[in-house]
Amino acid sequence: MTTPGEKTAVDWLVSAAPDPDACRRAWEHDPLGVALLPAGRLWDVLNLPGELGQATLDVLDPLVGRPGPVLADFGASRLGFFVPPGTASHWVGTGVRGAGRGAWIVVPYPGRATGGVRWTVLPDGKGTLTDPVLLELAMHEAAARVVVGEAWNP
C-alpha cells in the first residue's frame, strides 16, 4: 500500500531517472525491487561507515528535525546521505565515499526494504537534502561520541 507521502517520494526519485517510466517498471517488475538512479543530477550521496553514519544521523535529527533521505544496507555497514549535487566532488573525508555525477545508486522503492538496501529516512518528495555543512559538523560530533564510546567499552 502506498501512502500519499510515499507517492510524492516516488515522483521525486523517478524525476532523476533518464526514463522515469522505466524506473517505475523496474520497481514493479524487478524481483529485487530496486532501480538504478543517477547521482549528480538532483543529488549526490555521501556514504559513511555504519557506526559513524548512525551516530551522525543521531546528531542530525535534533538539529534539523528531518534530514534529507538516507539509505542503509541491511548490514548497516554504510549509510548514504543525500546531499546537493556537486558535494561529492569536493568532499574530503577519511572513510567517506562520494557518489556524484557519473555514478549510479541502487534505490529501493520508498517504504520497502529490498535488494540489500533500505530507507533509514525516506525522501519527502519535496527535494529536501542534507546540508553538507551541517552533515560535516554532525560527523565531527558523532566521531567524538564514537571514540568516547569505544574508550568506555574496550
Side-chain angles (χ1 to χ4, degrees), residues 22-106:
C23 180
R24 287 178 196 274
R25 282 191 304 275
W27 273 329
E28 292 170 5
H29 301 296
D30 185 319
L32 296 177
V34 297
L36 286 174
L37 293 176
R41 184 170 173 207
L42 297 180
W43 62 75
D44 283 0
V45 178
L46 295 177
N47 291 296
L48 282 61
E51 186 177 12
L52 176 60
Q54 187 56 56
T56 298
L57 187 56
D58 293 344
V59 171
L60 268 177
D61 271 339
L63 290 177
V64 297
R66 185 185 197 288
V70 180
L71 281 174
D73 62 14
F74 277 123
S77 63
R78 298 204 71 83
L79 269 71
F81 291 80
F82 282 51
V83 293
T87 301
S89 64
H90 302 303
W91 194 271
V92 178
T94 303
V96 177
R97 298 179 192 155
R101 185 168 298 280
W104 291 77
I105 303 165
V106 174

